[in-house]
DNA sequence: GACCTGCTGCGGCGTG
């Protein structure tokens, strides 16, 4: 490695930035920085910088950007342009603001953070200067377009770079479509192309990421991928548990409840859950760790068990819950305790602690239940094993106790095999590519309303040109676009003036003028939970609790004093009993590759080395049942009057296959890792599958028309049935994949 | 039967 001073990248930087590097005492620039700096200083190309660690990536982008803003002359310290940094998290903006302030010290470069918690003063500073670095969220940028639309050309006149941090968090989701649209609208307003810079740690597919950053021009994006290995060793264990009945049956618990006796949550929980909590307590006590549970409810369940374990031994509590429904105060308290490290602290958390601010390295990671995605498992593992120590990961997997009633798919120990499959894929360095097939009509509605606000009105042709033609919503057909405008008219979101200009309708006006308009994603309505007037968190409004019932929340036990429906508020008081609430939610989708790997593990002979004794037994049983069902050679299994189909495919392909079979008068349902076809023998199912392969592909919209509850995105309520079917099927169905799977199935067992 | 993210303008009040 060359020393910092002698490298080409270093030479390309402004003297002020060079001095900043000296002051840091860096021996050398990282290879990623060496590659990124010359391209970014030139400032005429789109670039993606993908590097595993937090350190180095931000500098790889900001050192050259600040250099460019200072101009070519060595003695020049005045700012000559604007860089726009867009982040998905407010916390990240605050972090970057502090780092940048130190980097620009001694220059004239203004750095302005801009999000919902930032005061008027800072924002006015940007309105005056209109240069330097503006750190902003997509929502706040949206707000600028809506409330200062006519000023956008002047405000961003000097824009030279668009930097998107945590790029992976935007790809394939509504919020990412909004971001693409905003970047495109910005360039249209300025009448020029602005180089885009994407930063990320975990990208599953660089081609998709490049195409996301510059729709229609992904091939020209320069992708700089760090090949530096963290080098840390990995210690891995998958622990198996079989369900044990709770100490009290549901009936007994209810009877005691009715008699007014308090029921201890531990007595109503399955014995294996209590066993897992005990193992976590014994193993993790005394060090800093993260325990990831798959739901907020489980966070509260395990958080409560671990706290009581501490209490019963009379030792200080060191296990604390952390999830998105807890108040900011409570969450920040846990984050700070993890960071300072004076006392041992373990957070029991959801994906809240997967990314975002730096909490420092922890001794180990625990994962309860199979992870939903390999990408998420990788991100979680990355929190352990820094500073050269081995990364430690323990997975705790629960499986059913098998009896005569256990349905065949559950005998296969699917949770354990999914966990093992994901672990294998993690070791193979594979990551799910994002799904980018969705039309995102909900966000198109938002963007139409926003463009009308920005220009004070627009024609249908103008809207089409700005949003769809060679623009982010190019997958939307002209027919669908016109149908959408008509629906928006009917819902009074839009109205047409005499000269044909589209303006906000009565209802559209109301929506756009409320601050809730700026986000593209859907957020459920919530009750706030108050203790002595202080808000400790929230509960979804569709999960009501009764007055006088008991609740476990924030790692403590409460009695519900009062439910105020008008003000959406629930008052709580301390109690000794309680149960963890359910927070609801919609399930995610498992990728094809994971099911494929599960199939491979079922057929294999060797046991993975990372299984503990019980997991090994469960694994062996899973394979035995796999053999017994004849699944090695056959994917269709007779089950009473029904047939079970095991396609070893991802959720989207399986759901689509079930929908196609149902449309062919064979009622079918997804059941875990298989599809249950009702009242049909395997031979009939095989014939149906052959039909599916031979016939023309069914229209996804027709398949969607039989599905209930399709309104899931923010503005879906304004889509008519037809457009809703089009949009929903673009998100949730894949007929080509289903037909491929059907083809494979007809060839099995022959 | 999952998780997470974000938000303006202005009136009213208290404090320096």
């Amino acid at each position: 490695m060359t020393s910092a001073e002698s490298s080409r990248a270093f030479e390309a930087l402004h003297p002020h930035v060079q001095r900043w590097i000296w002051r840091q005492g860096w021996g050398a620039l990282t290879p990623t920085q060496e590659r990124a700096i010359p391209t970014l200083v030139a400032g005429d190309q789109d670039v993606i910088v993908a590097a595993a660690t937090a350190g180095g990536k931000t500098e790889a982008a900001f050192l050259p950007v600040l250099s460019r803003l200072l101009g070519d002359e060595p003695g020049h310290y005045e700012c000559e342009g604007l860089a726009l940094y867009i982040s998905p998290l407010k916390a990240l903006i605050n972090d970057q603001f502090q780092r940048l302030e130190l980097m620009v010290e001694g220059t004239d470069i203004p750095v302005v953070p801009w999000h919902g918690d930032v005061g008027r003063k800072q924002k006015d500073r940007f309105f005056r200067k209109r240069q330097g670095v503006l750190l902003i969220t997509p929502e706040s940028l949206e707000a600028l377009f809506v409330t200062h639309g006519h000023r956008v050309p002047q405000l961003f006149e000097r824009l030279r770079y668009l930097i998107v941090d945590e790029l992976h968090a935007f790809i394939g989701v509504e919020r990412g479509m909004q971001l693409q649209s905003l970047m495109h609208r910005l360039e249209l307003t300025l009448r020029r192309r602005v180089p885009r810079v994407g930063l990320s740690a975990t990208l599953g597919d660089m081609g998709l990421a490049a195409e996301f950053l510059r729709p229609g021009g992904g091939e020209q994006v320069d992708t700089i991928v760090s090949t530096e290995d963290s080098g840390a060793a990995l210690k891995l264990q998958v622990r198996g548990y079989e369900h044990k009945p709770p100490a009290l049956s549901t009936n007994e618990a209810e009877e005691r409840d009715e008699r007014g006796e308090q029921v201890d949550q531990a007595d109503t929980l399955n014995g294996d859950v209590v066993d897992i909590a005990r193992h976590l307590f014994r193993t993790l006590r005394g060090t800093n760790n993260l325990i990831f549970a798959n739901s907020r409810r489980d966070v509260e369940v395990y958080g409560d068990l671990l706290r009581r374990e501490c209490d019963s031994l009379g030792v200080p509590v060191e296990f604390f819950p952390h999830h998105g429904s807890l108040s900011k105060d409570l969450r920040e308290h846990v984050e700070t305790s993890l960071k300072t490290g004076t006392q041992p602290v373990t957070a029991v958390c959801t994906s809240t602690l997967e990314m975002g601010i730096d909490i420092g390295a922890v001794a180990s990671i625990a994962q309860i239940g199979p992870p939903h995605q390999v990408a998420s498992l990788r991100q979680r593992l990355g929190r352990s094993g820094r500073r050269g120590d081995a990364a430690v990961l323990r997975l705790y997997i629960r499986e059913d106790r098998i009896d005569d009633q256990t349905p065949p798919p559950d005998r296969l120990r699917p949770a354990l095999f999914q966990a093992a499959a994901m672990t294998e894929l993690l070791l193979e360095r594979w990551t799910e590519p994002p799904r980018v097939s969705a039309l995102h009509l909900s966000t198109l509605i938002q963007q139409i309303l926003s463009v009308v606000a920005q220009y004070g009105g627009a024609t249908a042709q103008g809207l089409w040109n700005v949003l769809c033609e060679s623009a982010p919503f190019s997958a939307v057909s002209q027919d669908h676009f016109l149908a959408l405008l008509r629906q928006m008219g009917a819902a009074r979101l839009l109205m047409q003036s005499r000269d044909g200009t589209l303006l906000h309708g009565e209802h559209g006006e109301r929506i756009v003028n409320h601050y809730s308009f700026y986000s593209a994603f859907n957020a459920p309505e919530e009750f706030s939970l108050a203790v002595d007037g202080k808000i400790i968190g929230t509960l979804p409004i569709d999960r009501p609790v009764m007055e006088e019932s008991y609740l476990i929340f924030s790692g403590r036990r409460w009695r519900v004093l009062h439910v105020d429906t008008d003000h959406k508020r629930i008052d709580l008081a301390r109690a000794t009993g309680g149960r963890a609430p359910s927070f609801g939610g919609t399930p995610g989708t498992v990728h094809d590759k994971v099911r494929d790997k599960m199939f491979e593990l079922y057929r294999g002979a060797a046991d993975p080395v990372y299984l503990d004794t019980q997991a090994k037994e469960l694994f062996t049983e899973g394979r035995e049942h796999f053999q017994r069902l004849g699944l090695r050679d056959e994917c269709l299994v007779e089950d009473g009057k029904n047939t079970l189909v095991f396609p070893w495919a991802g959720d989207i392909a399986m759901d689509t296959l079930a929908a196609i079979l149902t449309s062919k008068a064979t009622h079918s349902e997804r059941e875990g890792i298989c599809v249950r076809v009702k009242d049909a023998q395997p031979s009939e199912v095989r014939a149906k599958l052959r039909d599916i392969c031979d016939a023309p592909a069914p229209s996804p919209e027709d398949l969607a028309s039989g599905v209930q509850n399709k309104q899931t995105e923010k503005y879906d309520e304004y889509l008519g049935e037809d457009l809703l079917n089009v949009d929903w099927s673009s998100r949730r169905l894949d007929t080509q994949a289903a037909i491929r799977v059907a083809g494979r199935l007809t060839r099995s067992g022959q």
Side-chain angles (χ1 to χ4, degrees), chain A residues 715-733:
Chain A
Y715 295 109
D716 277 356
E717 59 178 302
Y718 302 111
L719 299 173
E721 181 64 17
D722 288 353
L723 285 177
L724 187 60
N725 286 337
V726 170
D727 188 71
W728 187 87
S729 59
S730 75
R731 260 182 286 148
R732 302 286 313 186
L733 299 179

Side-chain angles (χ1 to χ4, degrees), chain A residues 300 321 323-331 527-539 551-559 569-574 583:
Chain A
E300 292 291 353
H323 59 72
S325 293
L326 290 170
S327 74
K328 199 178 166 190
D329 279 1
L330 290 165
R331 285 158 66 174
F527 278 109
S528 48
L529 297 173
V531 177
D532 297 332
K534 198 170 148 33
I535 305 297
I536 61 165
T538 58
L539 267 188
L551 194 67
I552 291 177
F553 187 87
S554 183
R556 291 174 187 276
R557 300 172 162 218
W558 312 96
R559 187 162 57 89
R569 184 181 148 124
I570 295 171
D571 283 291
L572 303 174
R574 288 300 286 272
F583 292 83

Side-chain angles (χ1 to χ4, degrees), chain A residues 181-483:
Chain A
S181 177
L182 289 169
M183 292 194 294
H184 184 68
R185 287 166 61 191
L186 198 48
E187 290 185 349
L188 282 183
T189 311
L190 298 176
R191 295 169 192 278
R192 64 188 166 88
R193 192 180 143 278
V194 180
R196 300 179 185 179
V197 184
L199 308 177
S200 183
T202 42
L203 287 167
D205 182 323
M206 285 311 282
L208 278 179
E211 189 58 30
F212 175 87
L213 188 67
R214 176 67 68 181
E219 278 170 20
Q220 278 87 53
V221 175
D222 190 1
T223 53
I224 298 172
V225 184
S226 156
T227 49
E228 299 147 58
D229 203 320
S230 69
L234 169 61
K235 290 186 186 168
L236 189 64
Q237 187 180 44
V238 175
R239 304 181 58 83
Y241 292 82
E242 195 171 54
H243 286 194
K244 278 191 211 163
L248 283 182
S249 73
T250 319
N251 280 346
E252 284 171 311
E254 272 171 17
E255 278 169 25
R256 288 199 192 183
D257 225 22
E258 278 163 22
R259 287 202 300 270
E261 291 170 32
Q262 280 207 350
V263 178
D264 188 341
Q265 148 150 307
D267 290 337
T268 63
L269 291 171
N270 283 309
D272 50 315
V273 170
V274 179
D275 288 349
I276 290 175
R278 290 219 176 98
H279 186 267
L280 287 167
F281 179 80
R282 281 202 313 271
T283 320
L284 305 185
R285 223 188 113 207
T287 51
N288 283 10
N289 307 277
L290 295 178
I291 301 173
F292 287 96
N294 282 344
S295 67
R296 284 169 282 187
R297 182 192 157 78
D298 275 356
V299 165
E300 292 291 353
V301 166
Y302 287 97
D304 181 66
L305 285 170
L306 288 162
R307 161 182 284 268
R308 288 163 56 83
E309 201 77 31
C310 295
D311 285 346
S312 70
L313 285 182
V315 298
V317 175
E318 52 185 85
F319 297 89
F320 300 94
H322 190 286
H323 59 72
S325 293
L326 290 170
S327 74
K328 199 178 166 190
D329 279 1
L330 290 165
R331 285 158 66 174
E332 277 173 359
H333 183 252
V334 179
E335 290 158 22
T336 316
S337 330
L338 272 166
K339 213 173 189 169
T340 51
T342 45
Q343 299 283 327
V345 173
T346 291
V348 190
C349 57
T350 57
S351 53
T352 40
L353 289 178
E354 230 174 68
M355 66 171 191
I357 61 145
D358 190 5
I359 48 161
V362 294
S364 79
I365 304 292
Q367 162 74 42
I368 304 178
H372 299 295
Q373 287 203 55
V374 180
S376 143
L377 185 62
R378 168 163 296 115
Q379 196 91 13
R380 291 173 183 192
L381 187 60
R383 290 291 195 177
S384 162
R386 295 186 214 169
R387 297 181 200 139
D389 293 338
V392 180
L393 173 66
R394 294 183 182 88
L395 289 107
Y396 295 79
I397 306 298
R398 305 173 54 216
E399 284 288 358
D400 280 346
R401 174 155 293 192
I402 295 177
D403 57 33
D404 297 345
Q405 305 298 311
T406 309
D410 294 347
R411 294 169 188 242
L412 294 173
R413 308 300 191 191
L416 179 62
F417 277 79
Q418 181 175 321
M422 290 196 165
T423 305
E424 292 292 321
L425 292 168
L426 175 83
L427 296 173
E428 289 171 20
R429 296 171 173 250
W430 179 84
T431 301
E432 288 89 355
R435 241 179 90 83
V436 290
S437 59
L439 290 177
H440 301 289
L441 294 183
S442 165
T443 301
L444 181 53
I445 289 179
Q446 184 211 30
Q447 290 301 298
I448 289 171
L449 290 172
S450 175
V451 171
V452 170
Q454 180 189 352
Y455 296 102
T459 60
Q461 184 66 48
L463 287 168
W464 170 261
N465 292 346
V466 170
L467 296 169
C468 301
E469 197 186 36
S470 336
F473 294 95
S474 59
V476 177
S477 74
Q478 212 148 15
D479 284 349
H480 287 151
F481 185 73
L482 289 173

Side-chain angles (χ1 to χ4, degrees), chain A residues 2-127:
Chain A
T2 48
S3 74
E5 290 79 1
S6 65
S7 82
R8 190 169 75 89
F10 187 83
E11 291 297 321
L13 295 168
H14 188 276
H16 170 82
V17 178
Q18 293 178 335
R19 273 197 298 279
W20 181 88
I21 294 175
W22 281 326
R23 285 205 302 275
Q24 306 310 302
W26 290 0
L29 296 171
T30 65
T32 308
Q33 290 165 344
E34 286 284 347
R35 276 203 57 200
I37 288 170
T39 316
L40 282 169
V41 168
D44 50 7
Q45 236 210 300
D46 299 323
V47 185
I48 288 179
V49 183
T53 49
K57 197 170 50 205
T58 313
E59 286 80 3
F62 275 115
L63 297 177
V65 166
L66 294 177
S67 278
R68 180 73 196 281
L69 293 182
L70 284 171
D72 293 333
E73 291 164 51
H76 194 268
Y77 293 90
E78 280 145 43
C79 185
E80 292 187 341
L82 173 67
L84 187 57
Y85 164 94
I86 303 174
S87 153
L89 299 173
K90 291 189 286 192
L92 222 50
I93 289 180
N94 297 341
D95 266 17
Q96 300 289 28
F97 173 61
Q98 287 180 357
R99 289 163 81 174
L100 280 168
E101 283 257 278
L102 297 173
M103 283 169 133
V104 300
E105 219 172 355
T107 73
D108 259 1
I109 302 178
V111 180
V112 177
W114 186 310
H115 56 66
D117 301 343
V118 171
R120 194 66 247 171
K121 248 190 189 155
Q122 292 274 30
K123 297 179 177 176
D124 283 340
R125 204 154 74 93
F126 172 68
F127 279 135

